[in-house]
Amino acid sequence: MSDENITAEGGDESLHTSVPITGMYKEWFLDYASYVILERAVPAIEDGLKPVQRRILHAMKEMDDGRFNKVANIIGQSMQYHPHGDQSIGDAMVNLGQKDLLIETQGNWGDIRTGDGAAAARYIEARLSKFALDVVFNPQTTEWQLSYDGRKREPTTLPVKFPLLLAQGVEGIAVGLSTKILPHNFIELIEASIEILKGNRSNVLPDFLTGGLADFSEYNEGHRGGKVKVRARIEEEDSKTLLIKEIPYGTTTDSLIESILKANDKGKIKIKKVVDNTAKDVEIQIQLAPGVSPDVTIDALYAFTDCEISISPNACVIIADKPVFLTVNQILEYNTQQTKELLKRELEIRRAELMERLLFSSLEKIFIENRIYRDIEECTTWDAVLVAIDKGLDPYKPDFYREITQDDLVRLTEIKIKRISKFDAFKADELMKRLQEELKEVNYNLKHLTEYSIKYYQNLLDKYGKGRERKTEIRALDTIEATVVAANNAKLYVNRVDGFVGYGLKKDEFICDCSDLDDVIVLRRDGKFMVSKIQEKGFMGKDILYVGVFRKNDDRMTYNLIYLDGGSGRAMIKRFQIGGITRDKEYDLTKGTKGTKVLYLTANPNGEAELVTVYLTQGAKARVKVFDFDFAEIEIKGRGAGGNILTRYPIRKIQLKMEGKSTLGGINIFYDAVVGRLNTDQRGKLIGNFLGDDKILVCYRNGDYELTSFELTNRYEPKDVILIEKFDIKKVISAIYFDGGTKTFFVKRFLIETTTINKRFNFITDHKQSYLKVVSTSSQPQVSVTLTKGKEEEIMEYDLDMLIDVKGWKAIGNKLSTYLVKEITLIHTEKPDAESAEDGEVVEDEVSDSSQELEIGSTIDLTPKKEDDDQLDLF
């Protein structure tokens, strides 16, 4: 159609017109795209504002008289500059007001935390903040352009002397590109600008008004391709209640609650009730279902709801009428240098003003003191008056910094007689002296512009920095496995004979509770196994011996297997673990010969090795036809190993004789103080080797202690933990704490007498200002104490076991000293038994698994080669 013409049909032929449309769409679309990018969506780097925001601020400046104005009135004023209607202006103004930086608000402006909208424009008021008046406006350094209708002038960009773009953040979608710059902390931006002026490199990180926790390890300085992980701050009020105190940036309490209810409806989490108690501060109360772990629920909230979101920044700005992608640090450097340049221009303008004032003050003094005004009394024409004054100034002209112009002479003629008659030479000299001093200071600042800029930023920090401390906590956040924390919202069934497995086979054999995110493993009588995603009904092969939930990277689950090799007729025995696999792929646990079948199979979650009794057939030639075998006698190998020869004779049956114990030993548990989680990946501090009912002792800064299990889902807030180690009931706890009531340090020693796990017990005074200073389980703990005795300080060393006897955990203890305690430092503590190795040394278990691991979902088969049979028969 682009090659055709549009022709008006009917009527007189003179009315027929042809309009070529070739290329119109391309040209118009490019014009439209450019307009949206430059005038609507993307901010200018100079002031960090979109045109509508800039026009609102300009209109408010024109109206500014120190009092609040109705927003409806401000919108009307802004419409002189912005040609897009009151709705877009009102929305942009509310957005500016909610950022709490440039606009001082009055009335209901909505709440970004709850998503509540602002009241109508006629009900709310606003005025420019003192900060905006200080840093945003200066008509003398502003570049101007005509408004859209040519009636007024408006700023091209505002001369902002502050990294406003990074402080407020911005988001916009244009044609073919978008921008998303996250807000940053006011104080940190100023401090970073000062560092840039000092010649150092800056690295600023976002800060959100909604608070929360954020991981910026992949922020990539705000450039395209970066990512920020943001989490709500969730606290455990008690074993049945969680409190959300801060929400992720970009969410609201309503959207967050909706995502929680949706996850609960889908069975991902199990909660009883959600209550929104948000008022001045955010508080969403989550009441847990009976028997649900708070720690697991917190992880599930992060995994399945908007309690954790991922934000992808994309710093795009307009420079010289073109969109440019930069990092936030590059933007900050640009803004810092721009501020320095604007300060220079302001100083130069002020210097020119001072020199002009000095010039005219000197002219005025000479004109009056030398009575030059009398020389014009006999002049009959205006030109003669100006010539007479000019002639009278001739002796002094060499002292002036520029030539005297006719305008200067005219100004002298405008001096009133009253001013001449009351002229005070002393006051004139004082004024000129002050002007000269200020001029000297301005010249000094121009010569030392960097120091002057640093001083300017420091003044901003001192004047406006109070109350603008960081709200979002910078934290390394762990990755949560959804399958680990998902609530069991399904039941697993199996039809062993027909080979079907799933959660829809409700008439068949029940296996266990599971999640619809789990993987299922099946081991069959023919010696093959397969792992598949759980489904309603899935075929996984006939004659199923074992079916269960498959946990990826589970290095504890061990399978004990005896099978008849169809090729040799031997009974083979093996113990193995299953590492990385590919979903829906069949793997062989035997030699794969025809006639092979499994005689005995068990799955052992903790590497247990049982004792079995083997019965040979009556016709077997073996002398001993019944014998016992302990699986602990053979090593755990890879799933591809052929195994050891159990017997060469035919077997009639195999029976379990005795349950076995784990042959894997305990689990080495580590504590990662960065994320506050336990792990078995050797990250952080080794707490100890754990078995069965072993517990962890945690002491918190508020004076609580707690016994917990060693489940990897446990959470410990790093900033609150002062001691975490393997619990030993025989170890004495030595502690020094500050009592908020008496303002004194106390020392106490006690044994843990409680046995309840996951419940905190406070062992110091309950005053709100009391806190735990030092705690140790060493048998001979020593501390260094700095005491203030009058005007002198003395450092004393104490053996805590010599200061006080072991008493009950509720005892108050004894005063540490009668003198003022300035500092306490723990100088000696014994390592727990599990950490007998040197600091930093990691104790590793030996692994005897010949298999190579492959992530589930991969398509490459890395199944290990089968090992040769052991040459020696076991029986």
Side-chain angles (χ1 to χ4, degrees):
M1 185 175 178
S2 60
D3 295 328
E4 299 175 1
N5 295 333
I6 299 177
T7 304
E9 297 182 359
D12 194 282
E13 290 186 3
S14 62
L15 298 178
H16 291 190
T17 58
S18 297
V19 181
I21 63 171
T22 303
M24 276 189 178
Y25 177 80
K26 179 180 179 181
E27 293 173 5
W28 289 349
F29 183 79
L30 286 176
D31 290 343
Y32 168 72
S34 299
Y35 172 76
V36 173
I37 292 170
L38 299 177
E39 297 294 327
R40 300 289 290 274
V42 184
I45 192 172
E46 289 83 2
D47 56 11
L49 299 170
K50 297 179 183 180
V52 64
Q53 297 171 325
R54 188 179 303 115
R55 288 160 180 163
I56 290 170
L57 294 174
H58 174 59
M60 292 183 71
K61 176 61 176 174
E62 284 190 323
M63 301 172 65
D64 183 56
D65 58 1
R67 297 182 296 176
F68 284 96
N69 288 288
K70 288 287 186 183
V71 168
N73 193 15
I74 298 173
I75 292 173
Q77 186 78 4
S78 302
M79 289 178 70
Q80 298 179 81
Y81 308 101
H82 194 66
H84 293 291
D86 58 340
Q87 186 66 46
S88 63
I89 297 173
D91 292 345
M93 188 168 182
V94 168
N95 183 268
L96 276 175
Q98 289 179 339
K99 293 179 189 254
D100 191 29
L101 187 61
L102 299 179
I103 297 178
E104 191 176 339
T105 60
Q106 189 165 272
N108 177 16
W109 280 68
D111 192 335
I112 60 172
R113 304 169 308 161
T114 62
D116 295 333
R122 60 184 178 275
Y123 298 125
I124 57 179
E125 298 178 329
R127 67 182 176 191
L128 291 171
S129 66
K130 292 181 179 179
F131 172 77
L133 293 170
D134 273 1
V135 305
V136 176
F137 305 99
N138 188 337
Q140 295 175 307
T141 57
T142 301
E143 295 182 6
W144 301 91
Q145 64 184 7
L146 289 176
S147 61
Y148 68 93
D149 60 3
R151 288 188 173 92
K152 289 182 174 291
R153 65 173 191 165
E154 62 174 339
T156 304
T157 57
L158 290 169
V160 178
K161 302 185 291 293
F162 176 78
L164 186 61
L165 175 58
L166 299 182
Q168 291 192 134
V170 70
E171 186 171 355
I173 300 175
V175 179
L177 61 81
S178 65
T179 183
K180 187 162 191 170
I181 299 174
L182 303 181
H184 293 69
N185 182 260
F186 182 92
I187 296 174
E188 292 175 4
L189 286 174
I190 292 179
E191 291 175 343
S193 292
I194 292 174
E195 288 302 311
I196 290 173
L197 290 169
K198 291 180 178 179
N200 302 324
R201 191 180 184 279
S202 67
N203 185 30
V204 291
L205 297 174
D207 183 31
F208 310 119
L209 288 175
T210 52
L213 316 172
D215 187 340
F216 299 110
S217 58
E218 299 180 55
Y219 182 46
N220 195 28
E221 300 187 49
H223 208 280
R224 286 183 295 180
K227 185 175 68 173
V228 175
K229 188 190 295 183
V230 188
R231 284 183 181 175
R233 188 180 296 277
I234 306 177
E235 298 178 0
E236 184 179 336
E237 185 177 44
D238 54 49
S239 61
K240 299 179 181 179
T241 310
L242 300 177
L243 295 178
I244 299 178
K245 292 296 189 73
E246 295 173 1
I247 62 177
Y249 174 74
T251 66
T252 65
T253 52
D254 287 345
S255 67
L256 196 64
I257 290 173
E258 185 179 350
S259 72
I260 293 172
L261 295 177
K262 187 180 293 184
N264 184 62
D265 292 341
K266 291 182 177 180
K268 305 298 184 185
I269 57 176
K270 290 184 179 180
I271 59 173
K272 186 166 65 175
K273 190 177 181 182
V274 180
V275 182
D276 188 0
N277 296 325
T278 300
K280 180 183 177 182
D281 299 315
V282 170
E283 182 178 296
I284 300 173
Q285 185 185 79
I286 301 176
Q287 298 177 12
L288 306 181
V292 175
S293 165
D295 287 336
V296 174
T297 303
I298 290 174
D299 282 349
L301 287 170
Y302 289 142
F304 302 113
T305 75
D306 287 347
C307 286
E308 176 179 312
I309 63 171
S310 181
I311 303 173
S312 298
N314 183 21
C316 178
V317 294
I318 298 298
I319 301 179
D321 290 335
K322 292 181 180 179
V324 180
F325 293 92
L326 301 174
T327 67
V328 293
N329 292 316
Q330 289 172 330
I331 293 173
L332 182 60
E333 289 179 12
Y334 186 101
N335 290 152
T336 302
Q337 296 305 323
Q338 174 185 274
T339 298
K340 183 178 177 181
E341 184 60 32
L342 286 171
L343 291 173
K344 179 183 178 182
R345 289 174 60 188
E346 289 180 356
L347 287 172
E348 289 172 343
I349 290 170
R350 182 58 181 162
R351 178 173 64 181
E353 290 174 347
L354 289 171
M355 293 178 71
E356 285 299 301
R357 287 189 63 185
L358 274 169
L359 175 67
F360 187 73
S361 296
S362 300
L363 289 174
E364 183 183 61
K365 183 179 179 183
I366 293 169
F367 182 73
I368 295 175
E369 286 187 339
N370 293 281
R371 301 179 184 273
I372 296 175
Y373 56 85
R374 288 187 174 180
D375 297 343
I376 66 175
E377 291 176 355
E378 298 179 359
C379 296
T380 58
T381 64
W382 176 248
D383 291 339
V385 170
L386 296 179
V387 170
I389 296 173
D390 189 50
K391 186 176 181 182
L393 294 174
D394 280 342
Y396 309 99
K397 287 182 179 180
D399 297 330
F400 299 135
Y401 81 96
R402 65 170 174 81
E403 292 183 358
I404 304 303
T405 65
Q406 185 173 332
D407 291 338
D408 297 325
L409 302 178
V410 171
R411 284 186 65 188
L412 290 174
T413 64
E414 294 172 352
I415 299 174
K416 296 180 179 180
I417 297 298
K418 185 177 181 180
R419 179 169 177 78
I420 294 174
S421 62
K422 291 188 175 183
F423 181 75
D424 188 331
F426 178 75
K427 287 184 178 180
D429 290 339
E430 285 295 312
L431 173 61
M432 293 173 66
K433 184 179 180 181
R434 289 197 301 271
L435 293 174
Q436 287 171 344
E437 289 176 352
E438 186 178 351
L439 179 60
K440 182 180 179 181
E441 182 181 356
V442 168
N443 285 326
Y444 178 84
N445 289 334
L446 280 168
K447 290 181 180 179
H448 302 82
L449 191 57
T450 300
E451 290 81 355
Y452 177 74
S453 301
I454 292 174
K455 186 178 179 181
Y456 168 81
Y457 274 119
Q458 190 62 52
N459 182 58
L460 283 183
L461 188 59
D462 297 340
K463 193 173 181 180
Y464 301 108
K466 186 176 181 182
R468 297 189 180 275
E469 291 76 16
R470 169 169 282 276
K471 291 181 172 61
T472 302
E473 182 180 344
I474 300 172
R475 174 86 68 82
L477 301 177
D478 53 319
T479 301
I480 296 171
E481 293 279 351
T483 54
V484 174
V485 299
N488 289 332
N489 58 355
K491 295 182 182 296
L492 182 62
Y493 300 91
V494 62
N495 184 324
R496 296 182 185 272
V497 177
D498 296 335
F500 288 99
V501 176
Y503 53 79
L505 308 174
K506 297 182 180 180
K507 294 182 180 179
D508 291 300
E509 179 185 349
F510 170 73
I511 299 298
C512 64
D513 291 325
C514 62
S515 163
D516 56 9
L517 299 177
D518 285 333
D519 290 310
V520 177
I521 184 171
V522 164
L523 284 78
R524 304 196 305 256
R525 187 171 296 279
D526 60 4
K528 294 181 173 61
F529 83 92
M530 179 192 298
V531 175
S532 182
K533 190 75 176 176
I534 191 170
Q535 50 190 307
E536 185 175 0
K537 181 180 180 180
F539 180 74
M540 300 187 74
K542 294 184 178 182
D543 289 333
I544 296 174
L545 292 179
Y546 170 80
V547 59
V549 174
F550 179 74
R551 303 297 183 192
K552 186 173 68 171
N553 299 326
D554 185 353
D555 57 0
R556 305 290 294 180
M557 174 64 80
T558 304
Y559 300 89
N560 297 337
L561 174 68
I562 300 175
Y563 69 92
L564 173 66
D565 178 35
S568 63
R570 303 168 182 169
M572 311 298 294
I573 186 168
K574 63 187 285 188
R575 298 183 72 203
F576 62 94
Q577 294 177 334
I578 297 177
I581 52 87
T582 300
R583 279 197 191 108
D584 300 319
K585 178 180 178 180
E586 239 182 31
Y587 292 89
D588 207 326
L589 298 171
T590 68
K591 295 184 177 183
T593 54
K594 186 177 180 180
T596 297
K597 65 178 180 179
V598 174
L599 303 176
Y600 180 87
L601 173 68
T602 58
N604 306 279
N606 201 34
E608 292 84 357
E610 67 270 28
L611 180 67
V612 295
T613 300
V614 180
Y615 297 87
L616 303 181
T617 61
Q618 290 297 327
K621 297 180 180 180
R623 184 171 55 85
V624 178
K625 291 184 172 56
V626 179
F627 59 87
D628 294 338
F629 182 78
D630 191 347
F631 272 93
E633 295 181 14
I634 59 175
E635 295 181 356
I636 299 173
K637 297 185 178 181
R639 63 170 184 260
N644 297 339
I645 300 174
L646 175 64
T647 179
R648 300 178 183 273
Y649 304 105
I651 295 177
R652 179 166 58 90
K653 68 176 180 179
I654 302 173
Q655 286 185 337
L656 173 67
K657 184 174 184 179
M658 184 183 297
E659 297 285 353
K661 295 182 179 180
S662 173
T663 59
L664 298 178
I667 305 174
N668 284 339
I669 299 294
F670 295 77
Y671 172 66
D672 187 344
V674 177
V675 298
R677 303 298 294 268
L678 303 177
N679 69 87
T680 57
D681 303 327
Q682 302 180 4
R683 288 182 285 106
K685 168 190 173 183
L686 175 63
I687 298 180
N689 189 271
F690 287 78
L691 280 170
D693 296 329
D694 287 343
K695 300 180 183 68
I696 293 175
L697 169 66
V698 188
C699 292
Y700 299 94
R701 297 187 188 280
N702 67 348
D704 291 349
Y705 77 77
E706 180 183 24
L707 299 179
T708 75
S709 65
F710 54 92
E711 292 289 338
L712 300 187
T713 53
N714 291 350
R715 308 179 67 86
Y716 309 94
E717 189 65 33
K719 64 181 181 181
D720 296 336
V721 174
I722 195 170
L723 172 74
I724 181 168
E725 63 179 45
K726 185 177 179 181
F727 173 59
D728 185 343
I729 195 171
K730 298 178 181 179
K731 284 191 175 182
V732 176
I733 311 295
S734 302
I736 297 176
Y737 69 92
F738 179 78
D739 175 42
T742 61
K743 310 297 181 186
T744 306
F745 283 96
F746 284 79
V747 58
K748 63 182 295 184
R749 303 183 74 232
F750 63 95
L751 288 168
I752 300 292
E753 301 169 11
T754 59
T755 57
T756 308
I757 66 169
N758 298 326
K759 182 177 180 180
R760 293 191 180 194
F761 297 90
N762 189 270
F763 61 91
I764 66 175
T765 54
D766 58 1
H767 193 278
K768 63 180 181 180
Q769 293 182 348
S770 296
Y771 63 89
L772 183 62
K773 179 64 177 177
V774 169
V775 64
S776 174
T777 57
S778 170
S779 60
Q780 295 179 323
Q782 298 176 343
V783 292
S784 173
V785 182
T786 304
L787 302 174
T788 302
K789 297 181 177 180
K791 295 183 179 180
E792 297 181 354
E793 291 184 357
E794 183 178 349
I795 298 177
M796 301 287 292
E797 292 187 2
Y798 295 103
D799 293 319
L800 298 188
D801 58 319
M802 302 296 290
L803 286 180
I804 187 172
D805 294 331
V806 177
K807 299 181 180 179
W809 68 274
K810 294 183 179 180
I812 296 176
N814 297 343
K815 284 187 178 182
L816 180 63
S817 175
T818 56
Y819 295 103
L820 180 65
V821 177
K822 184 177 180 181
E823 185 58 55
I824 305 174
T825 307
L826 188 66
I827 60 175
H828 174 72
T829 181
E830 294 177 350
K831 291 180 180 290
D833 294 340
E835 294 186 272
S836 57
E838 295 295 325
D839 289 343
E841 182 180 345
V842 177
V843 181
E844 299 181 347
D845 290 335
E846 292 184 359
V847 179
S848 56
D849 190 342
S850 61
S851 64
Q852 302 178 51
E853 294 201 355
L854 182 68
E855 291 296 322
I856 291 179
S858 301
T859 57
I860 304 173
D861 184 11
L862 293 181
T863 306
K865 296 179 180 178
K866 295 184 179 180
E867 300 176 4
D868 294 331
D869 296 344
D870 290 359
Q871 297 300 312
L872 180 64
D873 290 0
L874 296 175
F875 288 94

